Amino acid sequence: MRNPFIIAAAFLLVLSAASCKSQYELLLEGNDAQAKYEAAFDYFNQGKYQKSAALFESLSVLTNGTSRDDTVQYYWGLSNYRFKDYYTAEANFTKFIEMFPRSPFAEQARFFRIDCLYKSTYRYELDQTPTYTAITAISEFIMEYPDNPHIPACNRMLFDLNERLDRKAFENAKIYYTMEDYKAARVALKNVLKDDSENMYREEVLYYTAMSSYKYASLSVPSKQKERFMLFIDDYFNFVGEYPESKHRRELDSLYKRVKNNETSASDAPVK
């Protein structure tokens, strides 16, 4: 026989859970702005950001045009941000900035917006369109708020995003080297620095440029090798002039000596 006390306790537990759920749902669907406002902040302060976001979103209809309008809109975005829904939060903050440019929350909303943009960017291998959007927004924020306490964080974001773009440019050019198309590799690598002389991977770009020219010359027919090894010598001196202490120095020195020794041997050969 089932214990009636256990059955009654289980029923009360289920009833209590249903009551709590229905209380939130009734509040969400209701029109009591004050009760909804207080509950939204209670959930926010408890770290229940998904629920606070839903309440602030529902509340925004009731507070539209009132003195609480910007507060509700801002915390709606902040709740989504804290919930790590950066796509929705970015849309929230963009709308907020357009609607309330003079709000006390405006400057902070601008920072959270660019942080959302930053967090929505992709690895260097993927499409970098969001990266360019984030760089533009971050740069504008730094210019507009040079004394903002988040400027160091903005600078770190910019460095990371620019490093991603630089690496993508380098890796895209290096593909030709991996494919052993050394002529195309040298052209592509030189174009990387032509487009951006301060590329963060400049040392690697110059190294693979020299290696490409050496391998291209080595695989050429004998009648064209001398001319093409001259390109390697140019690339070699460009590299060692900028990076005399590079980890690649010993390898390139060895290749350079080989080329010079071959030139000496060829010049010493008897004329037929």
Side-chain angles (χ1 to χ4, degrees):
M1 181 180 292
R2 296 178 180 178
N3 190 321
F5 293 105
I6 294 177
I7 295 173
F11 176 75
L12 289 173
L13 187 63
V14 171
L15 185 63
S16 175
S19 175
C20 289
K21 180 180 180 182
S22 62
Q23 181 181 5
Y24 171 75
E25 289 181 344
L26 287 172
L27 188 63
L28 188 61
E29 296 168 4
N31 293 320
D32 188 337
Q34 182 60 30
K36 191 174 292 192
Y37 186 85
E38 292 174 0
F41 275 104
D42 282 342
Y43 281 118
F44 181 87
N45 292 330
Q46 292 173 41
K48 298 178 180 179
Y49 301 119
Q50 189 175 25
K51 287 189 174 183
S52 67
L55 282 170
F56 281 122
E57 180 179 7
S58 175
L59 186 60
S60 67
V61 178
L62 302 176
T63 58
N64 184 33
T66 70
S67 60
R68 286 180 169 176
D69 199 0
D70 67 328
T71 301
V72 169
Q73 294 282 350
Y74 174 73
Y75 276 93
W76 177 14
L78 189 56
S79 294
N80 282 315
Y81 176 85
R82 294 280 179 83
F83 188 61
K84 298 185 179 180
D85 181 357
Y86 299 120
Y87 180 82
T88 304
E90 192 273 323
N92 289 145
F93 289 128
T94 297
K95 179 182 176 183
F96 177 88
I97 294 163
E98 292 173 354
M99 292 176 62
F100 310 104
R102 295 180 177 81
S103 167
F105 300 113
E107 185 171 341
Q108 192 68 2
R110 287 178 184 274
F111 171 75
F112 283 130
R113 175 181 174 260
I114 63 175
D115 197 36
C116 289
L117 289 171
Y118 171 72
K119 287 181 167 67
S120 300
T121 55
Y122 308 131
R123 300 190 313 272
Y124 79 89
E125 310 100 296
L126 304 176
D127 176 35
Q128 293 301 302
T129 301
T131 298
Y132 288 108
T133 301
I135 286 174
T136 299
I138 295 167
S139 300
E140 290 174 352
F141 181 84
I142 290 172
M143 290 181 64
E144 192 166 353
Y145 303 103
D147 299 321
N148 186 279
H150 294 300
I151 293 300
C154 291
N155 287 328
R156 288 192 294 271
M157 290 181 207
L158 278 182
F159 181 88
D160 178 54
L161 295 175
N162 281 304
E163 188 273 339
R164 256 181 254 181
L165 294 178
D166 286 357
R167 184 173 182 185
K168 187 176 183 69
F170 164 58
E171 295 289 351
N172 284 348
K174 187 184 169 187
I175 287 174
Y176 294 102
Y177 184 88
T178 304
M179 294 169 58
E180 300 183 358
D181 186 349
Y182 300 118
K183 182 179 180 180
R186 185 176 187 273
V187 172
L189 288 160
K190 289 184 79 66
N191 282 338
V192 169
L193 298 184
K194 183 178 179 181
D195 294 337
D196 178 15
S197 62
E198 297 181 358
N199 186 291
M200 296 181 194
Y201 291 84
R202 184 179 177 89
E203 180 178 349
E204 294 301 303
V205 172
L206 289 175
Y207 164 71
Y208 280 102
T209 300
M211 291 299 297
S212 295
S213 57
Y214 178 83
K215 293 190 176 186
Y216 179 55
S218 297
L219 295 171
S220 299
V221 296
S223 61
K224 293 183 181 279
Q225 283 188 339
K226 182 177 181 180
E227 175 187 352
R228 291 172 180 174
F229 273 127
M230 291 300 295
L231 293 177
F232 163 71
I233 291 173
D234 287 342
D235 294 338
Y236 165 79
F237 280 117
N238 285 337
F239 182 86
V240 299
E242 286 197 41
Y243 301 102
E245 306 299 326
S246 171
K247 63 182 180 181
H248 300 301
R249 177 70 189 267
R250 180 177 296 180
E251 179 184 12
L252 291 178
D253 282 349
S254 176
L255 296 179
Y256 173 72
K257 289 176 182 177
R258 188 180 303 173
V259 170
K260 297 304 290 182
N261 288 337
N262 286 341
E263 284 183 354
T264 302
S265 299
S267 65
D268 290 343
V271 178
K272 295 182 179 180

